[in-house]
Each structure stands twice: as structure tokens, then as C-alpha cells.
Amino acid sequence: MVETLKRKGPEQANNTDGERTVRARRASKPKVKTGCNNCKLRRVKCDETRPQCTKCVRSGRHCDGFPAVKRTLDVAIPIAPRPAPAEQAQSPQITKKIIRKPLPPRPARKSQPTPPATPVKEEEQPLSATLYQLRGFSLNQQEGQYFQIFRTKTAGELSGFFDSEFWTRSVLQESHSEASIRHAVVALGALYKTLEKMAESPPGSPEANPTYHVDSATSHYNFALQQYSNAVTRLRESIGSNEIRSNRTILMSIVLFTCFQSFTGDHKAAITQIQSGLGLLEERRQDSRQPLVRRQGDVVEDELVQMFTRLAVQAKSYDMAFHFPEPYVIQLSPKSREPLSPDASPSSPDVDSDCSLDSHIPEVFANTQEAREALDSLCERIMRFKEQLSNFYPAPGRILPASIISSGAGFKRQLEQWGAAFEPLFKSRRNQGNTERAGINVLKMISIMTTILFVMGYSMTEMGFDNFMGPFREIVELANEVVVDEELSLAAARCGDSNNCRHKRAHGMRGFQDQFVGLATQLPLDHGDGGLFSHIKASFALDIGIVAPLFVVATKCRDRKLRREAIRLLMSSPRREGMWDSILCGKVSQWIMEVEEEGLRHFEPWDPVGANEMVPEANRVMVKQILFDLQKREAALSCGTRGTADGAYDPRTRETQIYW
């Protein structure tokens, strides 16, 4: 070939070279190195669909997955998404090694107090037009904005008063590979933004704000509903096509869906989701005949098991307080199982719960997390035990006969052990930060509430609650400490000088809030709290906090002054903790109080006679049933004498309808 070219003239040689160049030219495309291992070996183009690529699925081959991302000094792969510059959002990205030179030290200057004249709230700023990229997936502008909101704000708020890596790490990691998780995360971020916009005082005006239609509570709420629908659809498609890699993804999706439904006030759907998750865990436990947390190589790690423990405790406590009808009664274990012995070894398959960890209680808890896990496990085992006993001893109001109270002596002893191990941590709470201190207070409140309800679960009279006046008072004091600390912290962060505070609740909010069914809302000033906690906006967390213990005080404590303080805390600091809504609980408590105080002297704080008057036994009632709709903000309530059988004549029976 070389000799032939030499014999030809220069012109012919040049033409031949041109022809060879045209024939050898290929389309210029960037080389892809991120395909699955199977497609790489076959040297075919991989579409990179996860968890199994379409090429492998269509050809009937088993997809071996994708290689791990090689980390070098030149490329950093963050767990959380990193924003790309606006000018590069739509163009191919070029990775370069950037060497940052240290900046010269800034000259020191005297600190000056921040002028309080025009404080700027972060939530007032419109969403920035930033595109976020997930590993293997791209988010459009809206999705990226809400994903960032979830990562920086929503995840922390969902954790409530405790740090939780489930929200700040596990969910974010899973969203990189599972579409249903990713859509649910975006939906929760949009709901959080909806609450922020609703908390504005006054709410945004279309005329005054040019970005109203893209940064309004309505637009955020509608986008949240759309993303939630996408999450449910994507999960169903994945299950139908066998794309789901493990039950871990299904369980995590259930937690996120439960969170969304509780957030929007659909408690029936939330209970159904929790029951589905408990059923899935029970099936896995029955298949293995081993506790989930001890199975080798199990993808359902302790973190998810603990999450379902808390959801189970929350749903069961909600059912015990509100007395839901079937099929919305949570079943923690199959009805055919024998009652659990409180002194039995937790390693026994018949005793160990599919959604609880060992209930070993040390002499002293090392930290809040250890105390929380032990209390969650203990509460779940107590509820499971009483649920199974109720199947053998059916009684009105699920009250167990006093003759078998000795069967629960072991649990009462464990509650006392937990309290002793928690005491050093509780005494040190003043040396902790606000969040840590609030978490310690909440654990103490839940332990007190659990002890009261466990003991009174064997009593046929409401008079027994008078023996717990000291614990009732401690619950109210701890809750007040949590709320006041939260108010002071928010006021200092947002306004600085209280004299220049501009955060006051606005009148006429009802019509604005009605656009967003089911969300936790703030009451207008005419409720009578005088704007005492004007910096605390309506909030949502998935864990039980202060609402459930305050509800027990407000409905079971007959100290007229103390129960009014509990109701005030419920109504003036609106929050939803899982399915526990503070406004609903406050409204129910107000009605129960009015029913019980019929015929008593009018209450005035400065009147010692009226304030110290106790509710007589003949006036005392208990909640029989609450049928409510948080999305419509209405409830049908009924109450009656404790221990009276359903259908029997009860002169104390009362029914009413409330709205808020």
C-alpha cells in the first residue's frame, strides 16, 4: 500500500488520503464509562436504567449492577446534591481540578449589634433557579429546589426533638437510586415550603409580589401532591416489574408515604400504611423464625426497625386515646399469639417483637439516643402485651380487670429501671443545647405518660387519676419549658430585640388556610393566647413529642388550673407530631373539660374557691370515640362513664360536633 502511494503523483496521493480520512471518520461522542458490568463485557451501549438496565432485561440476561464510582483527587462525589452554576445548568459539565489559594486574613473589626429595623427572613426569599444533579439522575429546576429544601430544612424538622440519620443520611442516599424515594423526598420538601408560606404574616399578595404564582403556598402544595402521586405510581410500577431490589426500599417508601399522609392530615391512610409495614416485617420474621435485627446479611437494618417501632407506638397510642373503629385499629401482633410475659427473655422468638429491639436497660444511659431506643422498645412491648390480654379479657374501653394487675408487674419494674437509668441524663439537661434539652424533656414526659396509662389500664374508675397530680404537674412544666425555649430561640434568631419584633399573628387567616386541607395551622389571635408564642409557626415532625402527654393531662387531670395550662400549651403552639395534632387535641380537651365542669363554680384564676374545686366522680367522663377529619377540620366526639358497656344506658353520655 505504501509503494502504491509512492508511484502515484502528489495530487493522486492527496486525494487518496482524503478518501481514507472520510472513510475512517466516526461520530464524535464522549466515551461513557458508567454502564453496567454486563454491557461493558458485551461492548454494547448501556442505557443505565437502575437497578437493572433495559438492555439486560430485554435480552434475558441478569444485570450484574454498576461499578462503584472511582474517587480520585480530581473528582468529588458528594452524598447530597451539589448545585451547578446557572450558566452551566443546560450545558455539558467539564470536570477540572480546582486549586484554591488561601484568602488573606480579613482585618479584625469591632463587633456591632445587628440593626433590627428590617429583618430578612430566609423563607421570604424566592426559590433560586438552581439545577441539582443526583448520581445517575437529573432533577429539573423545581424538583432540585425542593430536594434542597428537604436536605437543609425538612429532614431536620421531621426528626423532631432528636437527631435522626434516617432522615439526614439514609433517605437521601436511597433517593440516588430509587425513583419512588426521590419523588417522596421532593414532595415533603414542597410541603415544608407550603407551611413556610402559610406562616407569613400577612400571607403573600398577588398584587404586591411579582413572583406570587411561582412562589405561593398554592403552587408549592399542588406540586407536593403531584410528586406524591408520582412516588406512589413509581413504587407500584417497580413492584409490578420486579425492579425493587429489597424490602428495605418498600419499607422506606412506607415510612415516607406515612409521613406525607400524616403531614396532610389523612390519618386513615397513614394507619393503613403502618399496618402494611408491620405486616411485611411480621412475614419476614415468620419466614426466618429469627428476630430481624439478628439475621445475617439482612437489608432491613436496625434503623428502619426502630422507625417502625416508633410508628407502631404512635399509632397504637393514638388508637387508645381516640378509639378508632375497624379497620383502623392497629394490630401489633396476630390475635392468635399468646400474651407476652414481661419477664420472659427477649431473645425468645415468641416474645421478641418484629419491630422492637432488646429491652435491656443499663444502670445509666450514656446518651439520649440509647435512652430513647430503650423506651421505644419498652413502650412497644407494653402495648403488645396489653393488646393480647385484651383479646382474652374483652371489656368496655379495653380496660383490663384489676384481678390480673400482677401480670404487668414486670413492665412496671422495667419502667422504674428506665427512670433510674435516665435520671443522671435528666439532671444534666440544663447543660445541654436547646434541641438536646428538649429531647430529654420529651423522653421524661413520655415515660411519665406511659406509667400513668399502664397503671390506670386496670382501673374501672376515673378517680384513680387523682393519684398522679405530681406527675401531671411535671408534664406541664416540662412541656412549658420546651415551648418557651423554642419561642425564645426563634425570637432571638429572627428578631433580635423583642421591642422591634414584627411577628404577630394576623386576623382573618381562616380563608387562606382552607386552601390547604389537612396541614397543621395556626389559630388567629381571637383564640385568646394574646400572641404569646408569636414566633412558633405551625410545624410537623413524625415522632411523638409534647402533644400526647399534654392531651393526657388535659383530659385526665381534674386540677382546674393545671388542665387549663395544658390546653393553653396545646392551642397556642400549633404542631403536628405524626398523627397527633395539637389543635384537635386542644379542642377535644376543652369540650371534655366543659362537660365535666357542668354545675361547678365559674373558674377564675384569682378565685381560690373556684380554682381549687375538684370535679366530683359523678361528673367525670372518658372519651368513647372521636371520628375526625383533619382535612375538613371537623370532628364528631362522644364521651361517657368509664367502664360502661357499649349500648348500655349511661346518663353521662354526651355527643357533639366541633370545627376549627
Side-chain angles (χ1 to χ4, degrees):
M1 184 70 174
V2 175
E3 292 179 359
T4 304
L5 289 175
K6 288 181 179 179
R7 292 173 188 159
K8 292 181 179 181
E11 183 177 351
Q12 289 178 317
N14 291 338
N15 291 340
T16 303
D17 289 341
E19 293 175 2
R20 288 183 59 197
T21 302
V22 171
R23 286 196 301 269
R25 183 177 299 159
R26 300 177 59 185
S28 177
K29 295 181 179 179
K31 191 171 184 180
V32 179
K33 299 182 180 181
T34 55
C36 74
N37 296 325
N38 204 359
C39 289
K40 279 190 172 184
L41 292 175
R42 296 171 56 209
R43 293 182 175 273
V44 297
K45 173 69 175 176
C46 180
D47 63 354
E48 301 185 32
T49 302
R50 297 171 187 262
Q52 300 183 37
C53 76
T54 307
K55 287 279 188 180
C56 293
V57 173
R58 289 179 176 175
S59 60
R61 293 178 171 83
H62 174 70
C63 186
D64 295 331
F66 298 81
V69 180
K70 183 179 179 182
R71 299 178 184 272
T72 67
L73 295 177
D74 296 334
V75 182
I77 305 296
I79 292 179
R82 173 177 296 178
E87 62 271 15
Q88 298 179 6
Q90 303 299 332
S91 60
Q93 297 182 357
I94 302 176
T95 304
K96 295 182 179 180
K97 185 175 181 180
I98 301 175
I99 302 177
R100 294 180 173 85
K101 297 182 180 181
L103 296 175
R106 181 178 296 179
R109 61 179 181 180
K110 295 182 179 180
S111 60
Q112 298 179 353
T114 304
T118 55
V120 180
K121 294 191 300 182
E122 182 179 357
E123 59 265 30
E124 290 178 349
Q125 302 300 326
L127 293 176
S128 59
T130 308
L131 182 67
Y132 292 91
Q133 299 288 340
L134 287 178
R135 196 184 315 166
F137 298 95
S138 62
L139 299 176
N140 63 32
Q141 178 174 318
Q142 271 189 303
E143 293 171 342
Q145 292 163 349
Y146 294 123
F147 188 97
Q148 178 71 350
I149 290 174
F150 180 93
R151 186 177 71 87
T152 58
K153 297 181 180 180
T154 315
E157 183 153 326
L158 290 177
S159 302
F161 300 102
F162 307 95
D163 293 332
S164 174
E165 290 191 351
F166 175 81
W167 296 109
T168 59
R169 177 183 58 83
S170 301
V171 170
L172 292 174
Q173 288 179 336
E174 194 73 7
S175 66
H176 284 259
S177 57
E178 298 296 340
S180 62
I181 303 293
R182 187 169 60 258
H183 285 301
V185 164
V186 173
L188 289 173
L191 276 186
Y192 181 90
K193 191 64 180 178
T194 304
L195 273 187
E196 280 193 340
K197 300 303 293 185
M198 289 174 62
E200 290 183 355
S201 179
S205 169
E207 292 79 10
N209 187 359
T211 63
Y212 175 80
H213 295 290
V214 296
D215 189 24
S216 65
T218 303
S219 63
H220 302 315
Y221 184 72
N222 290 337
F223 193 79
L225 296 178
Q226 174 191 336
Q227 287 295 306
Y228 171 72
S229 177
N230 292 343
V232 174
T233 301
R234 189 66 187 90
L235 181 64
R236 288 174 178 169
E237 292 175 350
S238 299
I239 295 176
S241 58
N242 296 321
E243 293 180 19
I244 294 294
R245 293 178 296 175
S246 67
N247 284 328
R248 178 179 185 271
T249 301
I250 299 177
L251 290 170
M252 188 174 289
S253 297
I254 289 176
V255 173
L256 290 171
F257 295 167
T258 301
C259 184
F260 186 92
Q261 290 153 354
S262 298
F263 207 146
T264 56
D266 191 354
H267 70 282
K268 293 181 179 179
I271 290 174
T272 303
Q273 291 286 355
I274 295 173
Q275 193 68 72
S276 299
L278 294 177
L280 181 58
L281 289 173
E282 176 66 21
E283 290 177 5
R284 292 175 56 78
R285 195 195 70 83
Q286 292 293 339
D287 291 342
S288 65
R289 302 301 300 172
Q290 294 290 333
L292 281 176
V293 296
R294 297 186 184 87
R295 290 175 56 188
Q296 296 295 328
D298 201 321
V299 296
V300 181
E301 65 273 14
D302 292 3
E303 186 179 55
L304 258 178
V305 176
Q306 292 164 8
M307 181 63 67
F308 270 94
T309 300
R310 297 182 188 116
L311 289 177
V313 169
Q314 177 191 136
K316 195 63 180 178
S317 65
Y318 208 48
D319 171 47
M320 293 169 64
F322 285 28
H323 303 281
F324 291 146
E326 297 285 355
Y328 304 108
V329 178
I330 284 287
Q331 289 292 330
L332 299 180
S333 58
K335 292 186 178 181
S336 59
R337 186 178 297 178
E338 294 294 322
L340 306 181
S341 170
D343 295 317
S345 169
S347 62
S348 170
D350 292 332
V351 174
D352 188 64
S353 165
D354 56 279
C355 59
S356 66
L357 304 177
D358 291 346
S359 57
H360 171 69
I361 298 176
E363 292 186 4
V364 178
F365 290 119
N367 49 54
T368 308
Q369 183 65 23
E370 184 181 17
R372 184 192 187 196
E373 292 176 5
L375 183 60
D376 287 339
S377 175
L378 182 54
C379 289
E380 189 263 350
R381 293 182 66 231
I382 289 174
M383 289 181 174
R384 184 181 294 268
F385 176 74
K386 295 190 71 174
E387 175 186 89
Q388 293 168 10
L389 278 180
S390 297
N391 296 332
F392 288 90
Y393 301 97
R398 303 171 196 170
I399 301 172
L400 298 173
S403 59
I404 63 169
I405 191 172
S406 59
S407 63
F411 286 123
K412 186 177 180 181
R413 184 170 59 252
Q414 290 182 20
L415 284 168
E416 293 171 351
Q417 292 174 354
W418 186 93
F422 186 70
E423 191 62 22
L425 196 61
F426 179 69
K427 289 182 177 179
S428 67
R429 72 187 190 282
R430 284 298 177 185
N431 301 325
Q432 310 294 336
N434 285 348
T435 303
E436 182 77 8
R437 181 167 62 251
I440 292 174
N441 286 351
V442 167
L443 288 179
K444 184 67 172 179
M445 295 166 65
I446 293 175
S447 69
I448 295 173
M449 176 187 68
T450 303
T451 301
I452 295 173
L453 296 181
F454 176 73
V455 173
M456 290 303 297
Y458 298 89
S459 175
M460 296 294 288
T461 173
E462 289 284 317
M463 296 299 290
F465 285 103
D466 292 349
N467 299 323
F468 298 98
M469 285 301 173
F472 284 146
R473 184 169 289 103
E474 188 173 6
I475 287 177
V476 172
E477 290 173 352
L478 292 173
N480 188 71
E481 187 177 307
V482 170
V483 174
V484 170
D485 283 352
E486 182 179 353
E487 168 67 17
L488 293 177
S489 176
L490 290 173
R494 300 174 67 183
C495 297
D497 185 1
S498 59
N499 295 326
N500 295 282
C501 174
R502 63 185 181 90
H503 296 95
K504 300 296 181 183
R505 297 184 189 171
H507 294 272
M509 293 286 289
R510 177 59 193 257
F512 175 72
Q513 293 170 346
D514 281 345
Q515 303 175 39
F516 316 104
V517 293
L519 296 190
T521 56
Q522 286 174 283
L523 292 180
L525 285 174
D526 56 9
H527 167 63
D529 62 4
L532 178 62
F533 304 120
S534 56
H535 293 86
I536 297 179
K537 63 182 181 181
S539 62
F540 175 83
L542 193 58
D543 284 339
I544 291 179
I546 69 173
V547 177
L550 284 174
F551 180 72
V552 172
V553 176
T555 55
K556 299 301 182 183
C557 175
R558 272 68 185 202
D559 183 308
R560 302 180 72 184
K561 184 177 181 180
L562 197 58
R563 82 185 315 180
R564 281 170 169 77
E565 178 65 16
I567 294 173
R568 183 186 70 89
L569 289 171
L570 287 171
M571 301 291 283
S572 59
S573 58
R575 62 187 73 226
R576 184 170 300 157
E577 297 164 347
M579 291 176 284
W580 286 92
D581 185 84
S582 65
I583 303 301
L584 172 61
C585 290
K587 288 285 188 179
V588 172
S589 302
Q590 273 187 328
W591 179 68
I592 294 292
M593 179 182 67
E594 292 169 359
V595 170
E596 291 191 334
E597 293 186 357
E598 290 176 356
L600 270 63
R601 186 186 182 100
H602 181 68
F603 176 83
E604 295 291 351
W606 54 83
D607 178 13
V609 177
N612 295 327
E613 189 175 7
M614 293 292 291
V615 177
E617 183 176 9
N619 283 26
R620 301 192 181 193
V621 296
M622 68 172 289
V623 173
K624 290 291 186 177
Q625 192 175 64
I626 302 177
L627 303 176
F628 62 92
D629 190 332
L630 288 176
Q631 296 185 333
K632 294 182 180 179
R633 300 193 187 98
E634 61 183 25
L637 316 179
S638 64
C639 67
T641 305
R642 186 180 183 89
T644 303
D646 295 337
Y649 172 72
D650 181 7
R652 295 299 299 160
T653 298
R654 297 287 189 279
E655 295 180 353
T656 191
Q657 195 87 10
I658 62 173
Y659 306 90
W660 67 96

